[in-house]
Amino acid sequence: MRVLVIGDSCQDIFIYGDITRISPEAPVPVFVPTNTEKNDGMARNVSHNVEALKMHISTITNKNGIVKKRYVDNRSGQMVLRVDEHDYCERIDKKVLEGIRNNKCKPHFNDVIEVDAIIISDYCKGFLEEDDIQFICENNDNVFVDTKKKLGKWIEFADFIKINELEYKKNHEMLSNGFEEKLIVTLGSRGCRYNNQMFRVEEVPVKDVSGAGDTFLAGLVRGYLDTNNIIEGIRFAQKCTTKVVQKHGVATVELKEL
């Protein structure tokens, strides 16, 4: 299996520390850093999850550095502050975009690569505009879209749309008719909904949900390509997500864990 991931990426930085008192200068906690962890985030985290599930991966993403810093309390495991830096990137190269047709692409202007599925992981930082996503969906098969954009008619050409409950509520009017067989709504600890059917998940101790949506998306594609059945894809994606939320930070799940 070969998968192409397209979207904006960042660097995720987790700064762990101790909080033992409140500042005398303002009603805020005093955070004392103890250790720092760094990893690729957003679209590149989707790519890492795809690779961890034993699929060949090609990635088209931005070059400049968006940074997300999360400050996490060691004792509770709770994030107390997030700081985003350089929160915008340049748009995809037009020539690269126009080369993504019929499930073929040239990610780095090299030889043509054929792919079985395309994941659009759009965090709305500028790499993909609405007509870019529409172009990819119109000209390729097995396109899975996860976008933070306000949805419009341009999304109709996607094969499957992964969206969380809050995003669904914001786009309910647009999605109320004709999207039942392509819309997967994730509901956190309650599982997800597809085609008016609920898919529950096992209750597990949750340590961190950062990047869990990326893991779900990668698992969805792996399960679908294995079976050509989106329901089986959803069930496999939920197994992956149940594992990853039991880990600290932005993590991946490997097949041997499942």
Side-chain angles (χ1 to χ4, degrees):
M1 302 172 191
R2 183 176 289 277
V3 175
L4 172 65
V5 174
I6 311 170
D8 20 33
S9 299
C10 73
Q11 184 179 51
D12 281 319
I13 300 177
F14 288 81
I15 304 170
Y16 296 92
D18 296 324
I19 298 174
T20 59
R21 61 192 178 96
I22 301 297
S23 170
E25 302 162 313
V28 295
V30 176
F31 185 90
V32 181
T34 57
N35 63 292
T36 300
E37 296 180 6
K38 300 179 181 180
N39 54 264
D40 294 326
M42 300 196 306
R44 285 203 181 278
N45 185 52
V46 177
S47 296
H48 290 324
N49 275 276
V50 168
E51 194 169 26
L53 293 174
K54 301 300 182 184
M55 294 179 280
H56 296 289
I57 181 70
S58 297
T59 305
I60 300 175
T61 189
N62 53 294
K63 295 180 181 179
N64 60 312
I66 298 171
V67 178
K68 295 182 181 180
K69 291 182 180 178
R70 297 173 175 89
Y71 293 80
V72 182
D73 174 38
N74 282 327
R75 184 172 58 178
S76 65
Q78 296 295 310
M79 180 169 58
V80 296
L81 178 67
R82 188 176 116 176
V83 180
D84 290 2
E85 301 174 0
H86 311 293
D87 202 31
Y88 187 79
C89 64
E90 294 181 359
R91 190 173 180 178
I92 186 173
D93 185 283
K94 187 176 180 180
K95 291 182 179 179
V96 172
L97 176 68
E98 291 176 347
I100 306 170
R101 297 173 183 266
N102 303 316
N103 289 72
K104 298 178 182 179
C105 64
K106 293 183 179 180
H108 307 291
F109 302 103
N110 296 324
D111 295 336
V112 174
I113 296 173
E114 295 189 25
V115 298
D116 300 297
I118 296 175
I119 297 175
I120 296 177
S121 179
D122 172 44
Y123 280 79
C124 208
K125 304 299 183 183
F127 191 70
L128 293 171
E129 298 296 338
E130 295 173 357
D131 53 343
D132 299 331
I133 297 175
Q134 180 174 334
F135 176 86
I136 296 167
C137 293
E138 282 185 304
N139 289 282
N140 297 276
D141 297 321
N142 290 342
V143 182
F144 294 72
V145 179
D146 183 5
T147 178
K148 304 300 181 187
K149 287 181 173 57
K150 177 73 175 177
L151 300 182
K153 292 186 69 65
W154 51 273
I155 199 65
E156 293 178 358
F157 299 94
D159 293 291
F160 296 103
I161 306 163
K162 178 255 177 194
I163 195 169
N164 64 36
E165 188 172 21
L166 178 60
E167 292 162 347
Y168 175 77
K169 289 178 180 177
K170 290 180 179 178
N171 293 281
H172 179 265
E173 186 175 345
M174 169 68 195
L175 298 172
S176 57
N177 292 302
F179 284 85
E180 292 82 4
E181 294 187 358
K182 63 174 61 180
L183 187 67
I184 299 145
V185 184
T186 57
L187 306 169
S189 62
R190 293 180 289 123
C192 71
R193 184 174 64 249
Y194 170 72
N195 204 11
N196 298 315
Q197 182 178 352
M198 288 292 297
F199 295 84
R200 304 291 182 183
V201 290
E202 175 189 358
E203 289 189 18
V204 295
V206 176
K207 294 181 179 178
D208 201 325
V209 297
S210 301
D214 298 337
T215 301
F216 181 94
L217 189 56
L220 180 69
V221 172
R222 171 74 205 220
Y224 178 78
L225 292 179
D226 274 341
T227 64
N228 198 32
N229 185 308
I230 194 60
I231 291 178
E232 293 303 319
I234 289 170
R235 288 172 174 155
F236 184 76
Q238 289 183 314
K239 290 180 181 179
C240 296
T241 308
T242 299
K243 290 289 185 182
V244 84
V245 297
Q246 298 180 67
K247 301 181 180 184
H248 286 294
V250 177
T252 61
V253 175
E254 297 184 2
L255 285 178
K256 62 184 179 182
E257 298 179 64
L258 303 170

